[in-house]
Amino acid sequence: MLAPLALAQFICSFAGSNMNVMINDISRDLDTTVQGVQVAITVFLLVMAALMIPGGKATDRFGRKRCFLTGLAVYGLGALLSAAAPGLGVLILGNSILEGVGTALLIPPVYILTTLLFTDLTSRARAFGVIMAAGGVGAAAGPLIGGLITSAISWRAAFVFQALVIALIIALSRSITDPLPPEPDRHFDVGGAVLSAGGLVLIVMGILAADNNPWLMLGLLAAGFLVLAWFVYWIRREERAGTEPLLSTGLFRNRTSNLGLVTQNAQWLLLMGTSFTVATYLQVVRGYDAIETGVIFTAATFGLLVSSLAAERLAERLPQRTLIIAGFALAVVGVGALISLVAGSPSPWAFAPGLLLIGLGLGVMLTPSVNVVQSAFPEDQQGEISGLSRSVSNLGSSFGTAIAGTILVANLTRHAYAAAMAVLALTALIGLATATRLPRTTPPAHAPPPRQT
């Protein structure tokens, strides 16, 4: 049962980072620009973030396995359409829209089913560790695998690879059973879904507009925050009327969960921002091809894999708070190394120490952050918190690509790399400060979600 769930997390994380090494190939083949490819990557991450909360809520009404399989089918269709894309518009439709919608449908069931199917304390800890390792390795190894496929065949073959993995997951999913029956009569908050998605879209669009029109950026950001404020008012009104809202306001009253969500956002912002910044700099400024860029990223992949595999043993010995703090501390040092060593050396291997430290740090803290959040709520709220958790993480991915990418592509030849990495260093410091505020006695990684009264 764990194999298809872990593979699903792997391929979705892979999709978020593998295009970073195809920037030059795609822009040449589709007659577009680096910024055009950045928009495609960011829109994919944004669609995931915007629809993850409705996707998590939909699992209660339609069933977890059904949403999982539907998401896989939509994702596979998007991958095939992307492989045949004649231009940037079709690529955005296939990769950014269809794959993004498919991911939003299939990822919440991964975390809900894991919580429901692995009821034994030890097995649940191991299952979450495997899934988070698969996601982290997918994001870190995406540049290497994408680079190998692009150099050996074509960037289009990388999307065919995704479609083949999706077919394998569907075949393996026959072993999955849904422990809870769907509730087709359960209310679905359409208004809340539209408002939450609209607010997030406007905010990320505002960040993307920063290098073209500062006034447009401010207008979009202001509109986005107003729409999200309207969303908060909406769900409070729904609760007062006795109607089930898209999200319960009670989800935001748990201090430990709120802090854990902030760390998740910072982790994925750091991972995807670093991936996009370093990959773009290597290709556009230093002129490396896809496979050379991917090989350099093996340092991050190795670090993340090593620390992820040790995550379960570490969680048995150390508090989750300690692991999250240690992870951010390693990441801060790693970003500092990426700035200082790269500035002092033309060698591509100057990137290796920093990427290794970032990979080690992320592998240490990804699983504890998820456990902190998921374990804060009972089983009947797992659909809501899983959707919110994945939305916050994917919003971090969107911000990472949008913020760092906007700084980088705005001025690739004048200290833009250092400026983008400095923003990521600040993000890591914010994550570190947030982690220090987590309670010292958070539930252990293997504990089941506590019942709340």
Side-chain angles (χ1 to χ4, degrees):
M1 292 185 292
L2 183 58
L5 301 178
L7 272 176
Q9 180 62 78
F10 168 83
I11 199 63
C12 292
S13 298
F14 168 86
S17 66
N18 85 111
M19 278 182 64
N20 292 337
V21 297
M22 307 176 192
I23 293 171
N24 283 344
D25 298 85
I26 293 176
S27 59
R28 283 195 302 265
D29 194 15
L30 301 185
D31 193 25
T32 185
T33 63
V34 171
Q35 192 170 20
V37 179
Q38 180 211 1
V39 168
I41 296 171
T42 304
V43 171
F44 165 71
L45 298 169
L46 174 59
V47 169
M48 283 197 297
L51 299 182
M52 202 67 74
I53 296 174
K57 197 71 172 180
T59 61
D60 295 326
R61 182 168 184 172
F62 302 107
R64 286 132 292 275
K65 184 174 180 179
R66 184 179 298 172
C67 286
F68 183 64
L69 293 175
T70 301
L72 289 170
V74 174
Y75 187 108
L77 177 62
L80 292 175
L81 185 62
S82 300
L88 182 63
V90 177
L91 179 66
I92 290 176
L93 174 62
N95 172 250
S96 308
I97 306 299
L98 291 180
E99 287 192 21
V101 170
T103 302
L105 284 173
L106 72 91
I107 286 298
V110 168
Y111 290 82
I112 301 169
L113 288 169
T114 300
T115 302
L116 298 177
L117 293 173
F118 295 89
T119 55
D120 176 73
L121 302 182
T122 303
S123 66
R124 180 179 290 174
R126 185 178 299 113
F128 270 127
V130 170
I131 289 172
M132 292 312 300
V137 170
L144 175 60
I145 299 173
L148 289 171
I149 296 174
T150 300
S151 298
I153 308 174
S154 164
W155 63 268
R156 298 178 185 276
F159 287 102
V160 176
F161 167 76
Q162 293 181 45
L164 292 174
V165 173
I166 291 295
L168 174 61
I169 297 171
I170 292 175
L172 292 173
S173 298
R174 291 178 297 176
S175 63
I176 295 177
T177 57
D178 194 338
L180 298 176
E183 302 176 59
D185 296 328
R186 189 162 178 172
H187 174 71
F188 185 82
D189 184 7
V190 177
V194 171
L195 289 172
S196 65
L200 295 175
V201 168
L202 287 169
I203 288 173
V204 177
M205 286 177 60
I207 296 172
L208 289 173
D211 62 322
N212 292 324
N213 190 326
W215 289 109
L216 177 61
M217 175 196 71
L218 293 174
L220 289 171
L221 290 176
F225 285 115
L226 285 174
V227 172
L228 289 180
W230 186 7
F231 168 66
V232 173
Y233 167 78
W234 175 278
I235 61 176
R236 285 178 174 173
R237 189 186 69 175
E238 292 287 288
E239 285 186 326
R240 287 195 296 269
T243 306
E244 184 179 4
L246 183 70
L247 281 178
S248 302
T249 55
L251 292 179
F252 301 99
R253 298 192 188 108
N254 188 303
R255 180 176 180 273
T256 300
S257 173
N258 290 341
L259 293 171
L261 290 172
V262 173
T263 65
Q264 285 184 22
N265 184 275
Q267 289 161 10
W268 286 97
L269 193 159
L270 179 64
L271 176 57
M272 299 307 296
T274 300
S275 178
F276 184 85
T277 300
V278 174
T280 304
Y281 179 77
L282 288 171
Q283 293 173 90
V284 178
V285 176
R286 295 202 173 183
Y288 295 159
D289 61 24
I291 191 169
E292 290 171 329
T293 302
V295 168
I296 292 171
F297 272 94
T298 56
T301 306
F302 176 76
L304 203 150
L305 182 60
V306 168
S307 54
S308 294
L309 292 176
E312 182 184 350
R313 291 191 296 273
L314 291 171
E316 292 173 351
R317 300 175 183 177
L318 297 169
Q320 295 179 86
R321 174 180 181 272
T322 301
L323 294 175
I324 298 171
I325 290 174
F328 275 116
L330 284 170
V332 169
V333 177
V335 175
L338 280 175
I339 296 174
S340 58
L341 295 180
V342 170
S345 172
S347 170
W349 297 112
F351 292 87
L355 290 173
L356 176 63
L357 288 170
I358 291 174
L360 287 170
L362 288 167
V364 165
M365 61 182 167
L366 283 175
T367 299
S369 288
V370 170
N371 280 320
V372 164
V373 175
Q374 296 289 142
S375 297
F377 297 94
E379 290 182 357
D380 59 1
Q381 288 186 290
Q382 287 298 306
E384 286 183 291
I385 192 57
S386 294
L388 177 60
S389 173
R390 295 304 90 206
S391 178
V392 167
S393 296
N394 284 290
L395 189 61
S397 298
S398 300
F399 284 159
T401 303
I403 296 172
T406 297
I407 295 171
L408 194 65
V409 300
N411 197 348
L412 282 169
T413 59
R414 299 182 192 171
H415 310 295
Y417 167 81
M421 294 308 301
V423 171
L424 296 175
L426 178 60
T427 299
L429 288 171
I430 292 173
L432 177 60
T434 303
T436 62
R437 297 175 62 83
L438 285 167
R440 296 181 181 275
T441 56
T442 55
H446 54 270
R451 293 284 182 180
Q452 293 181 341
T453 58

